[in-house]
Coordinates of all heavy atoms in Angstrom, one line a residue:
M20 N -0.7 -2.1 -17.7 CA -1.2 -2.6 -16.4 C -1.5 -4.1 -16.5 O -1.7 -4.6 -17.6 CB -2.5 -1.9 -16.0 CG -2.5 -0.4 -16.0 SD -1.8 0.4 -14.7 CE -2.7 0.0 -13.3
L21 N -1.5 -4.7 -15.5 CA -1.9 -6.2 -15.5 C -3.3 -6.3 -15.9 O -4.1 -5.4 -15.5 CB -1.7 -6.8 -14.1 CG -0.2 -7.0 -13.7 CD1 -0.2 -7.7 -12.3 CD2 0.5 -7.9 -14.7
E22 N -3.6 -7.2 -16.6 CA -5.0 -7.4 -17.2 C -6.0 -7.3 -16.1 O -5.8 -8.0 -15.0 CB -5.0 -8.7 -18.0 CG -6.1 -8.6 -19.1 CD -5.9 -9.8 -20.1 OE1 -4.8 -10.1 -20.5 OE2 -6.9 -10.5 -20.1
G23 N -7.1 -6.6 -16.4 CA -8.2 -6.5 -15.4 C -8.1 -5.4 -14.4 O -9.0 -5.2 -13.7
H24 N -7.1 -4.5 -14.6 CA -7.0 -3.4 -13.8 C -7.4 -2.1 -14.5 O -7.2 -2.1 -15.7 CB -5.6 -3.2 -13.3 CG -5.2 -4.1 -12.2 ND1 -5.8 -4.1 -10.9 CD2 -4.4 -5.3 -12.2 CE1 -5.2 -5.1 -10.2 NE2 -4.4 -5.8 -10.9
V25 N -7.9 -1.1 -13.8 CA -8.1 0.1 -14.4 C -6.8 1.0 -14.3 O -5.8 0.6 -13.8 CB -9.3 0.9 -13.6 CG1 -10.5 0.2 -13.9 CG2 -9.0 1.0 -12.2
D26 N -6.9 2.2 -14.8 CA -5.7 3.1 -14.9 C -5.0 3.3 -13.5 O -3.8 3.5 -13.4 CB -5.9 4.4 -15.5 CG -6.2 4.2 -17.0 OD1 -5.7 3.2 -17.6 OD2 -6.8 5.1 -17.7
K27 N -5.9 3.5 -12.5 CA -5.3 3.8 -11.1 C -6.1 3.1 -10.1 O -7.3 3.2 -10.0 CB -5.2 5.3 -10.9 CG -4.6 5.7 -9.7 CD -4.6 7.2 -9.5 CE -3.9 7.7 -8.3 NZ -3.7 9.1 -8.2
L28 N -5.4 2.4 -9.2 CA -6.0 1.8 -8.1 C -5.2 2.2 -6.8 O -3.9 2.3 -6.8 CB -5.9 0.3 -8.2 CG -6.5 -0.4 -9.3 CD1 -6.1 -1.9 -9.4 CD2 -8.0 -0.3 -9.2
E29 N -5.9 2.5 -5.7 CA -5.2 2.8 -4.4 C -6.0 2.4 -3.3 O -7.2 2.5 -3.4 CB -4.7 4.3 -4.4 CG -5.9 5.3 -4.5 CD -5.4 6.7 -4.5 OE1 -4.3 7.0 -5.0 OE2 -6.1 7.5 -4.1
V30 N -5.3 2.1 -2.2 CA -5.9 1.8 -0.9 C -5.1 2.5 0.2 O -3.9 2.6 0.0 CB -6.0 0.2 -0.6 CG1 -6.9 -0.5 -1.6 CG2 -4.7 -0.4 -0.6
E31 N -5.8 2.8 1.2 CA -5.2 3.4 2.4 C -4.6 2.2 3.2 O -5.3 1.3 3.5 CB -6.1 4.2 3.3 CG -6.6 5.5 2.6 CD -7.4 6.3 3.5 OE1 -7.6 6.0 4.7 OE2 -8.0 7.3 3.0
L32 N -3.3 2.4 3.6 CA -2.7 1.3 4.5 C -2.7 1.9 6.0 O -3.0 1.1 6.8 CB -1.2 1.2 4.2 CG -0.9 0.6 2.8 CD1 0.6 0.6 2.5 CD2 -1.5 -0.8 2.7
F33 N -2.6 3.1 6.2 CA -2.5 3.7 7.5 C -2.8 5.2 7.5 O -2.3 5.9 6.6 CB -1.1 3.5 8.2 CG -1.0 4.1 9.5 CD1 -1.5 3.6 10.6 CD2 -0.2 5.3 9.6 CE1 -1.4 4.3 11.9 CE2 -0.1 6.0 10.8 CZ -0.6 5.5 12.0
K34 N -3.6 5.6 8.5 CA -4.0 7.1 8.5 C -3.8 7.6 9.9 O -4.4 7.0 10.8 CB -5.3 7.4 7.8 CG -5.7 8.8 7.8 CD -7.0 8.9 7.0 CE -7.4 10.3 6.7 NZ -8.8 10.3 6.0
N35 N -3.2 8.8 10.1 CA -3.2 9.4 11.4 C -3.5 10.8 11.2 O -2.6 11.6 10.9 CB -1.8 9.2 12.1 CG -1.8 9.7 13.5 OD1 -2.4 10.7 13.9 ND2 -0.9 9.1 14.3
D36 N -4.8 11.1 11.4 CA -5.3 12.5 11.2 C -4.6 13.5 12.2 O -4.4 14.7 11.9 CB -6.8 12.6 11.4 CG -7.5 12.0 10.2 OD1 -6.9 12.2 9.0 OD2 -8.5 11.4 10.4
E37 N -4.3 13.1 13.4 CA -3.7 14.0 14.4 C -2.2 14.5 13.9 O -1.9 15.6 14.0 CB -3.4 13.2 15.8 CG -4.8 13.1 16.5 CD -4.6 12.3 17.9 OE1 -3.4 12.3 18.3 OE2 -5.6 11.9 18.4
K38 N -1.6 13.5 13.3 CA -0.2 13.9 12.8 C -0.3 14.4 11.3 O 0.7 14.9 10.8 CB 0.7 12.7 12.8 CG 1.1 12.4 14.3 CD 2.1 11.3 14.4 CE 2.5 11.1 15.8 NZ 3.6 10.1 15.9
G39 N -1.4 14.2 10.7 CA -1.7 14.6 9.3 C -0.8 13.8 8.3 O -0.3 14.3 7.3
I40 N -0.8 12.5 8.6 CA 0.0 11.5 7.7 C -0.9 10.4 7.1 O -1.9 10.0 7.9 CB 1.3 11.0 8.2 CG1 1.0 10.2 9.5 CG2 2.3 12.1 8.5 CD1 2.1 9.4 9.9
L41 N -0.6 9.9 6.0 CA -1.4 8.9 5.4 C -0.5 8.0 4.5 O 0.5 8.6 3.9 CB -2.5 9.5 4.5 CG -3.2 8.5 3.5 CD1 -4.1 7.5 4.2 CD2 -4.2 9.4 2.6
Y42 N -0.6 6.8 4.5 CA 0.2 5.9 3.7 C -0.7 5.2 2.8 O -1.7 4.5 3.1 CB 1.0 4.9 4.5 CG 2.1 5.5 5.3 CD1 1.9 5.9 6.6 CD2 3.4 5.8 4.7 CE1 3.0 6.6 7.3 CE2 4.5 6.3 5.4 CZ 4.3 6.7 6.7 OH 5.2 7.4 7.4
K43 N -0.4 5.2 1.4 CA -1.3 4.6 0.5 C -0.5 3.5 -0.3 O 0.7 3.8 -0.6 CB -1.8 5.6 -0.5 CG -2.8 6.5 0.0 CD -3.4 7.4 -1.1 CE -4.4 8.4 -0.7 NZ -4.9 9.2 -1.8
L44 N -1.1 2.4 -0.7 CA -0.5 1.5 -1.6 C -1.3 1.8 -2.9 O -2.5 1.7 -3.0 CB -0.7 0.0 -1.1 CG -0.5 -1.1 -2.1 CD1 1.0 -1.2 -2.3 CD2 -1.0 -2.3 -1.6
S45 N -0.6 2.0 -4.1 CA -1.3 2.2 -5.3 C -0.6 1.5 -6.5 O 0.6 1.2 -6.4 CB -1.2 3.7 -5.6 OG 0.1 4.3 -5.7
V46 N -1.4 1.4 -7.5 CA -0.9 0.8 -8.8 C -1.3 1.9 -9.8 O -2.4 2.4 -9.9 CB -1.8 -0.5 -9.1 CG1 -1.3 -0.9 -10.6 CG2 -1.5 -1.5 -8.1
T47 N -0.2 2.3 -10.6 CA -0.4 3.4 -11.6 C 0.4 2.9 -12.9 O 1.2 1.9 -12.9 CB 0.4 4.6 -11.1 OG1 1.6 4.4 -10.7 CG2 -0.5 5.2 -9.8
A48 N 0.0 3.7 -13.9 CA 0.7 3.5 -15.1 C 1.5 4.7 -15.4 O 1.1 5.8 -15.3 CB -0.3 3.1 -16.2
F49 N 2.7 4.5 -16.1 CA 3.5 5.7 -16.5 C 4.3 5.2 -17.7 O 5.0 4.2 -17.7 CB 4.5 6.1 -15.4 CG 5.3 7.3 -15.9 CD1 4.8 8.5 -15.9 CD2 6.7 7.0 -16.0 CE1 5.6 9.6 -16.3 CE2 7.5 8.2 -16.3 CZ 7.0 9.4 -16.4
R50 N 4.1 5.9 -18.8 CA 4.8 5.6 -20.1 C 4.6 4.1 -20.5 O 5.5 3.5 -20.9 CB 6.3 6.0 -20.0 CG 6.5 7.4 -19.9 CD 7.9 7.7 -20.0 NE 8.2 9.2 -19.9 CZ 9.2 9.8 -19.8 NH1 10.4 9.1 -19.8 NH2 9.3 11.1 -19.6
G51 N 3.3 3.7 -20.3 CA 3.0 2.3 -20.8 C 3.4 1.2 -19.8 O 3.2 0.1 -20.1
K52 N 4.0 1.6 -18.7 CA 4.4 0.5 -17.7 C 3.6 0.6 -16.4 O 3.3 1.8 -16.1 CB 6.0 0.6 -17.5 CG 6.7 0.3 -18.8 CD 8.2 0.2 -18.3 CE 9.0 -0.1 -19.6 NZ 10.4 -0.1 -19.3
S53 N 3.5 -0.4 -15.8 CA 2.7 -0.5 -14.5 C 3.6 -0.4 -13.3 O 4.7 -1.0 -13.3 CB 1.8 -1.7 -14.4 OG 0.9 -1.6 -15.5
Y54 N 3.2 0.3 -12.2 CA 4.1 0.4 -11.0 C 3.2 0.2 -9.8 O 2.2 0.6 -9.7 CB 4.8 1.8 -11.0 CG 5.8 2.0 -12.2 CD1 5.3 2.6 -13.3 CD2 7.0 1.5 -12.0 CE1 6.3 2.8 -14.3 CE2 8.0 1.6 -13.1 CZ 7.5 2.3 -14.3 OH 8.4 2.4 -15.4
L55 N 3.9 -0.4 -8.8 CA 3.4 -0.5 -7.4 C 4.0 0.4 -6.6 O 5.3 0.3 -6.4 CB 3.4 -2.0 -7.0 CG 2.9 -2.4 -5.7 CD1 1.3 -2.3 -5.7 CD2 3.2 -3.8 -5.3
S56 N 3.3 1.3 -5.7 CA 3.9 2.2 -4.9 C 3.4 2.2 -3.5 O 2.2 2.0 -3.3 CB 3.8 3.6 -5.4 OG 4.4 3.8 -6.7
V57 N 4.2 2.5 -2.5 CA 3.8 2.8 -1.2 C 4.4 4.2 -0.9 O 5.6 4.4 -1.1 CB 4.4 1.8 -0.2 CG1 4.1 2.3 1.3 CG2 3.9 0.3 -0.4
R58 N 3.5 5.1 -0.6 CA 3.8 6.5 -0.6 C 3.2 7.0 0.7 O 2.1 6.8 1.2 CB 3.3 7.2 -1.8 CG 3.7 8.6 -2.0 CD 5.0 9.1 -2.6 NE 5.3 8.0 -3.5 CZ 6.7 7.6 -3.6 NH1 7.5 7.9 -2.8 NH2 7.0 6.7 -4.5
E59 N 4.1 7.9 1.3 CA 3.6 8.8 2.4 C 2.9 10.0 1.9 O 3.5 10.7 1.0 CB 4.7 9.2 3.3 CG 4.3 10.0 4.6 CD 5.5 10.4 5.5 OE1 6.6 10.1 5.1 OE2 5.1 10.9 6.5
W60 N 1.8 10.4 2.5 CA 1.1 11.7 2.1 C 1.0 12.5 3.4 O 0.9 12.0 4.4 CB -0.3 11.3 1.5 CG -0.4 10.6 0.3 CD1 0.2 9.2 0.1 CD2 -1.1 10.9 -0.9 NE1 -0.1 8.9 -1.1 CE2 -0.7 9.8 -1.8 CE3 -1.7 11.9 -1.3 CZ2 -1.2 9.8 -3.1 CZ3 -2.2 12.0 -2.6 CH2 -2.0 11.0 -3.5
Y61 N 0.9 13.8 3.2 CA 0.7 14.8 4.2 C -0.5 15.5 4.1 O -1.0 15.8 2.9 CB 1.9 15.7 4.4 CG 1.9 16.7 3.3 CD1 1.6 18.0 3.5 CD2 2.5 16.5 2.0 CE1 1.6 19.0 2.5 CE2 2.6 17.3 1.0 CZ 2.1 18.7 1.3 OH 2.2 19.7 0.3
L62 N -1.1 16.1 5.1 CA -2.3 16.9 5.1 C -1.9 18.3 4.9 O -1.2 18.9 5.8 CB -3.1 16.8 6.5 CG -4.4 17.3 6.5 CD1 -5.3 16.7 5.4 CD2 -5.1 17.1 7.9
D63 N -2.2 18.9 3.8 CA -1.8 20.3 3.6 C -2.8 21.3 4.3 O -3.7 20.9 5.0 CB -1.9 20.6 2.0 CG -3.2 20.6 1.3 OD1 -4.2 20.7 2.0 OD2 -3.2 20.5 0.1
F64 N -2.5 22.6 4.0 CA -3.2 23.6 4.9 C -4.7 23.8 4.4 O -5.5 24.3 5.1 CB -2.5 25.0 4.6 CG -1.1 25.1 5.2 CD1 -0.1 25.2 4.5 CD2 -1.1 25.1 6.6 CE1 1.1 25.2 5.0 CE2 0.2 25.1 7.2 CZ 1.3 25.2 6.5
E65 N -5.0 23.2 3.3 CA -6.4 23.2 2.8 C -7.2 22.0 3.2 O -8.3 21.8 2.9 CB -6.5 23.3 1.3 CG -5.9 24.7 0.8 CD -5.9 24.7 -0.7 OE1 -6.3 23.8 -1.3 OE2 -5.3 25.8 -1.2
G66 N -6.5 21.1 4.0 CA -7.2 19.9 4.5 C -7.2 18.8 3.5 O -8.0 17.9 3.6
V67 N -6.3 18.8 2.5 CA -6.3 17.7 1.4 C -4.8 17.1 1.5 O -3.9 17.7 1.7 CB -6.4 18.4 0.0 CG1 -6.3 17.4 -1.0 CG2 -7.7 19.2 0.0
Y68 N -5.0 15.7 1.4 CA -3.8 14.9 1.6 C -3.0 15.0 0.1 O -3.6 14.9 -0.9 CB -4.1 13.5 1.9 CG -4.2 13.3 3.3 CD1 -5.5 13.2 3.9 CD2 -3.1 13.1 4.1 CE1 -5.7 13.1 5.3 CE2 -3.3 12.9 5.6 CZ -4.6 12.9 6.0 OH -4.7 12.8 7.4
A69 N -1.8 15.3 0.2 CA -0.9 15.4 -0.9 C 0.3 14.5 -0.8 O 0.8 14.2 0.4 CB -0.4 16.8 -1.1
P70 N 0.8 13.8 -1.9 CA 2.0 13.0 -1.8 C 3.3 13.6 -1.5 O 3.5 14.8 -1.8 CB 1.9 12.3 -3.3 CG 1.5 13.4 -4.1 CD 0.4 14.0 -3.3
T71 N 4.2 12.9 -0.8 CA 5.5 13.3 -0.5 C 6.4 12.5 -1.3 O 6.0 11.5 -2.1 CB 5.8 13.2 1.1 OG1 6.0 11.7 1.3 CG2 4.9 13.8 1.9
K72 N 7.7 12.8 -1.3 CA 8.7 11.9 -1.9 C 9.1 10.7 -1.1 O 9.7 9.7 -1.5 CB 10.0 12.7 -2.1 CG 9.9 13.8 -3.0 CD 11.2 14.6 -3.2 CE 11.0 15.8 -4.2 NZ 12.3 16.4 -4.4
N73 N 8.6 10.6 0.2 CA 8.9 9.4 0.9 C 8.0 8.2 0.6 O 6.8 8.3 0.4 CB 8.5 9.7 2.4 CG 9.2 10.8 3.0 OD1 10.4 11.1 2.6 ND2 8.7 11.5 4.0
G74 N 8.7 7.1 0.2 CA 8.1 5.9 -0.2 C 8.9 5.2 -1.1 O 10.1 5.5 -1.3
F75 N 8.3 4.2 -1.8 CA 9.1 3.5 -2.8 C 8.1 3.0 -4.0 O 6.9 2.9 -3.8 CB 9.8 2.3 -2.3 CG 8.9 1.2 -1.8 CD1 8.5 0.1 -2.7 CD2 8.5 1.2 -0.5 CE1 7.6 -0.9 -2.2 CE2 7.6 0.1 -0.1 CZ 7.2 -0.9 -0.9
T76 N 8.7 2.7 -5.1 CA 7.9 2.3 -6.3 C 8.7 1.2 -7.0 O 9.9 1.3 -7.1 CB 7.8 3.4 -7.3 OG1 7.1 4.5 -6.6 CG2 7.0 3.0 -8.5
V77 N 8.0 0.2 -7.3 CA 8.7 -1.0 -8.0 C 7.8 -1.3 -9.3 O 6.7 -1.0 -9.3 CB 8.8 -2.2 -7.1 CG1 9.7 -2.0 -6.0 CG2 7.4 -2.7 -6.6
P78 N 8.4 -1.9 -10.2 CA 7.5 -2.4 -11.4 C 6.4 -3.3 -10.9 O 6.7 -4.1 -10.0 CB 8.5 -3.1 -12.3 CG 9.9 -2.6 -11.9 CD 9.8 -2.3 -10.3
Y79 N 5.3 -3.2 -11.4 CA 4.1 -3.9 -11.1 C 4.0 -5.1 -11.9 O 3.4 -5.1 -13.0 CB 2.9 -3.1 -11.1 CG 1.6 -3.7 -10.7 CD1 1.6 -4.4 -9.4 CD2 0.5 -3.7 -11.4 CE1 0.3 -5.1 -9.0 CE2 -0.8 -4.3 -11.0 CZ -0.8 -5.1 -9.9 OH -2.0 -5.6 -9.4
T80 N 4.6 -6.2 -11.5 CA 4.5 -7.5 -12.3 C 4.2 -8.6 -11.4 O 4.2 -8.4 -10.1 CB 5.9 -7.8 -12.8 OG1 6.8 -8.1 -11.8 CG2 6.5 -6.7 -13.7
L81 N 3.9 -9.8 -11.8 CA 3.5 -10.8 -11.0 C 4.7 -11.2 -10.1 O 4.6 -11.6 -9.0 CB 3.1 -12.1 -11.9 CG 1.8 -11.9 -12.5 CD1 1.5 -13.2 -13.4 CD2 0.7 -11.7 -11.5
D82 N 5.9 -11.1 -10.7 CA 7.2 -11.4 -9.8 C 7.3 -10.5 -8.7 O 7.5 -11.0 -7.6 CB 8.4 -11.4 -10.8 CG 8.4 -12.6 -11.7 OD1 7.8 -13.7 -11.4 OD2 9.1 -12.5 -12.8
T83 N 7.3 -9.1 -9.0 CA 7.4 -8.3 -7.8 C 6.3 -8.3 -6.8 O 6.5 -8.2 -5.6 CB 7.5 -6.7 -8.3 OG1 6.4 -6.4 -9.1 CG2 8.9 -6.6 -9.2
T84 N 5.1 -8.6 -7.3 CA 3.9 -8.6 -6.3 C 4.1 -9.8 -5.5 O 3.8 -9.9 -4.3 CB 2.6 -8.6 -7.2 OG1 2.5 -7.5 -7.9 CG2 1.4 -8.7 -6.3
L85 N 4.4 -10.9 -6.2 CA 4.6 -12.2 -5.3 C 5.8 -12.1 -4.4 O 5.7 -12.5 -3.2 CB 5.0 -13.4 -6.3 CG 5.1 -14.8 -5.7 CD1 3.9 -15.1 -4.8 CD2 5.4 -15.8 -6.7
A86 N 6.9 -11.4 -4.8 CA 8.0 -11.2 -3.9 C 7.6 -10.5 -2.6 O 8.0 -10.7 -1.5 CB 9.2 -10.6 -4.6
L87 N 6.9 -9.3 -2.9 CA 6.4 -8.5 -1.7 C 5.4 -9.3 -0.8 O 5.5 -9.2 0.4 CB 5.7 -7.2 -2.2 CG 6.6 -6.1 -2.8 CD1 5.8 -5.1 -3.5 CD2 7.4 -5.5 -1.7
F88 N 4.6 -10.1 -1.4 CA 3.6 -10.8 -0.7 C 4.3 -11.9 0.2 O 4.1 -12.0 1.4 CB 2.6 -11.6 -1.6 CG 1.6 -12.5 -0.9 CD1 0.6 -12.0 -0.1 CD2 1.9 -13.9 -1.0 CE1 -0.3 -12.9 0.5 CE2 1.0 -14.7 -0.3 CZ 0.0 -14.2 0.4
E89 N 5.3 -12.6 -0.4 CA 6.0 -13.6 0.3 C 6.8 -13.0 1.4 O 7.0 -13.6 2.5 CB 6.9 -14.4 -0.6 CG 6.1 -15.3 -1.6 CD 7.0 -16.0 -2.6 OE1 8.1 -15.5 -3.0 OE2 6.6 -17.0 -3.1
A90 N 7.5 -11.8 1.2 CA 8.3 -11.2 2.2 C 7.3 -10.8 3.3 O 7.8 -10.9 4.5 CB 8.8 -10.0 1.5
L91 N 6.2 -10.3 3.1 CA 5.2 -9.9 4.2 C 4.9 -11.1 5.0 O 4.8 -11.0 6.2 CB 4.1 -9.2 3.6 CG 3.1 -8.5 4.6 CD1 3.7 -7.6 5.5 CD2 2.0 -7.8 3.8
V92 N 4.5 -12.1 4.3 CA 4.1 -13.4 5.0 C 5.2 -13.9 5.9 O 5.0 -14.3 7.0 CB 3.7 -14.4 4.0 CG1 3.5 -15.8 4.7 CG2 2.3 -14.0 3.4
D93 N 6.4 -13.9 5.3 CA 7.6 -14.3 6.0 C 7.9 -13.5 7.3 O 8.0 -14.1 8.4 CB 8.8 -14.4 5.1 CG 10.0 -15.0 5.8 OD1 9.9 -16.0 6.4 OD2 11.2 -14.3 5.6
L94 N 7.8 -12.2 7.1 CA 8.1 -11.4 8.1 C 7.0 -11.4 9.3 O 7.3 -11.6 10.4 CB 8.0 -9.8 7.7 CG 8.3 -8.8 8.7 CD1 9.7 -8.7 9.1 CD2 8.0 -7.3 8.1
L95 N 5.8 -11.6 8.9 CA 4.7 -11.8 9.9 C 4.8 -13.1 10.6 O 4.5 -13.2 11.7 CB 3.3 -11.5 9.3 CG 3.1 -10.2 8.7 CD1 1.7 -10.1 7.9 CD2 3.0 -9.1 9.8
S96 N 5.2 -14.1 9.8 CA 5.3 -15.4 10.4 C 6.5 -15.4 11.5 O 6.3 -16.0 12.6 CB 5.8 -16.5 9.4 OG 4.6 -16.6 8.5
K97 N 7.6 -14.7 11.2 CA 8.7 -14.6 12.1 C 8.3 -13.8 13.4 O 8.8 -14.1 14.5 CB 9.9 -14.1 11.4 CG 10.6 -15.1 10.5 CD 11.7 -14.5 9.7 CE 12.3 -15.5 8.8 NZ 13.3 -14.9 8.0
A98 N 7.5 -12.8 13.1 CA 7.1 -12.0 14.3 C 5.9 -12.7 15.1 O 5.4 -12.2 16.1 CB 6.5 -10.7 13.8
E99 N 5.5 -13.9 14.6 CA 4.5 -14.7 15.3 C 3.1 -14.0 15.4 O 2.4 -14.1 16.4 CB 5.0 -15.2 16.7 CG 6.2 -16.1 16.5 CD 6.8 -16.6 17.9 OE1 6.1 -16.3 19.0 OE2 7.7 -17.2 17.8
V100 N 2.8 -13.2 14.4 CA 1.5 -12.6 14.4 C 0.6 -12.9 13.2 O -0.6 -12.4 13.1 CB 1.7 -11.0 14.5 CG1 2.3 -10.6 15.7 CG2 2.4 -10.4 13.3
L101 N 1.1 -13.7 12.3 CA 0.5 -14.1 11.0 C -0.9 -14.7 11.4 O -2.0 -14.3 10.8 CB 1.2 -14.9 10.2 CG 0.6 -15.4 8.9 CD1 0.2 -14.1 8.0 CD2 1.5 -16.3 8.1
E102 N -0.9 -15.7 12.3 CA -2.2 -16.3 12.7 C -3.2 -15.4 13.3 O -4.3 -15.4 12.9 CB -1.8 -17.4 13.7 CG -2.9 -18.5 13.8 CD -2.5 -19.7 14.6 OE1 -1.5 -20.3 14.2 OE2 -3.2 -20.0 15.5
T103 N -2.7 -14.5 14.1 CA -3.6 -13.5 14.8 C -4.2 -12.6 13.7 O -5.3 -12.3 13.7 CB -2.8 -12.7 15.8 OG1 -2.3 -13.5 16.7 CG2 -3.7 -11.7 16.5
L104 N -3.4 -12.2 12.7 CA -3.9 -11.3 11.6 C -4.9 -12.1 10.9 O -5.9 -11.4 10.4 CB -2.7 -10.8 10.8 CG -1.8 -9.8 11.4 CD1 -0.6 -9.5 10.5 CD2 -2.6 -8.5 11.8
L105 N -4.6 -13.3 10.5 CA -5.6 -14.1 9.8 C -7.0 -14.2 10.4 O -8.0 -14.1 9.8 CB -5.1 -15.4 9.3 CG -3.9 -15.3 8.3 CD1 -3.2 -16.7 8.1 CD2 -4.3 -14.8 7.0
E106 N -6.8 -14.3 11.7 CA -8.1 -14.5 12.5 C -8.9 -13.1 12.4 O -10.1 -13.1 12.3 CB -7.8 -14.9 14.0 CG -7.3 -16.2 14.2 CD -6.8 -16.6 15.5 OE1 -7.0 -15.7 16.5 OE2 -6.3 -17.7 15.7
K107 N -8.1 -12.1 12.6 CA -8.7 -10.7 12.6 C -9.3 -10.4 11.2 O -10.5 -9.9 11.1 CB -7.6 -9.6 12.9 CG -8.1 -8.2 12.9 CD -9.0 -8.0 14.1 CE -9.3 -6.5 14.3 NZ -10.1 -6.2 15.4
R108 N -8.7 -10.9 10.1 CA -9.2 -10.7 8.8 C -10.5 -11.5 8.7 O -11.5 -11.0 8.1 CB -8.1 -11.2 7.7 CG -8.7 -11.0 6.4 CD -7.6 -11.4 5.3 NE -8.1 -11.3 4.0 CZ -8.7 -12.2 3.3 NH1 -8.7 -13.5 3.8 NH2 -9.1 -12.1 2.0
N109 N -10.5 -12.7 9.1 CA -11.8 -13.5 9.1 C -12.9 -12.8 9.8 O -14.1 -12.9 9.4 CB -11.5 -14.9 9.6 CG -10.7 -15.7 8.6 OD1 -10.6 -15.4 7.4 ND2 -10.1 -16.7 9.1
E110 N -12.6 -12.2 10.9 CA -13.7 -11.5 11.7 C -14.3 -10.4 10.9 O -15.5 -10.1 10.9 CB -13.1 -11.0 13.0 CG -12.8 -12.0 14.0 CD -12.0 -11.5 15.2 OE1 -12.0 -10.3 15.3 OE2 -11.6 -12.2 16.0
R111 N -13.4 -9.7 10.2 CA -13.7 -8.5 9.4 C -14.7 -8.8 8.1 O -15.5 -8.1 7.7 CB -12.6 -7.7 8.9 CG -11.9 -6.9 10.1 CD -10.7 -6.3 9.6 NE -10.8 -5.4 8.6 CZ -9.9 -4.7 8.0 NH1 -8.6 -4.8 8.4 NH2 -10.1 -3.8 7.0
T112 N -14.5 -10.1 7.6 CA -15.1 -10.5 6.4 C -16.4 -11.2 6.8 O -17.2 -11.5 5.8 CB -14.3 -11.3 5.5 OG1 -13.8 -12.5 6.2 CG2 -13.0 -10.6 5.0
T113 N -16.7 -11.5 8.0 CA -17.9 -12.3 8.3 C -18.9 -11.4 8.9 O -18.7 -10.2 9.2 CB -17.7 -13.5 9.3 OG1 -17.0 -12.9 10.5 CG2 -16.9 -14.5 8.6

């Protein structure tokens, strides 16, 4: 794992309880290597979210993390919502 991380980190990106779906961004370790994943989860019959095969995983390195960050910033800039999102983020942190 990149220095300073624990064995497993994850955050919810989006959750829709009505449809029983959840998307998580996570950092995991497997066979001594670190990975960054975005995965779809479903709500099972017991009311617990479980992972599906839908999603993607890339090596968790500074290069892949920076590439994903730059791609997201570029996409949001082209969609002309980056400024609005930054304002919203500032509202949430104050």
Side-chain angles (χ1 to χ4, degrees):
M20 307 278 299
L21 290 178
E22 207 169 306
H24 287 292
V25 294
D26 287 341
K27 185 175 182 181
L28 299 172
E29 62 185 26
V30 294
E31 289 184 8
L32 295 176
F33 172 78
K34 187 176 184 181
N35 185 327
D36 286 324
E37 289 179 14
K38 293 185 178 182
I40 59 170
L41 168 67
Y42 290 92
K43 288 185 183 182
L44 173 67
S45 61
V46 175
T47 57
F49 181 71
R50 294 186 180 174
K52 295 185 179 180
S53 301
Y54 296 94
L55 181 68
S56 298
V57 173
R58 183 87 27 226
E59 179 180 8
W60 295 59
Y61 73 97
L62 192 61
D63 68 14
F64 293 112
E65 296 176 5
V67 177
Y68 279 95
T71 70
K72 292 182 180 181
N73 300 332
F75 68 90
T76 300
V77 296
Y79 182 51
T80 65
L81 289 176
D82 289 336
T83 57
T84 303
L85 181 59
L87 286 169
F88 175 76
E89 288 175 338
L91 185 58
V92 168
D93 186 46
L94 181 70
L95 294 173
S96 295
K97 289 177 181 174
E99 298 181 1
V100 297
L101 181 59
E102 198 170 305
T103 304
L104 289 173
L105 291 173
E106 289 172 7
K107 182 72 171 177
R108 180 177 179 263
N109 287 338
E110 289 173 9
R111 290 174 57 180
T112 58
T113 55

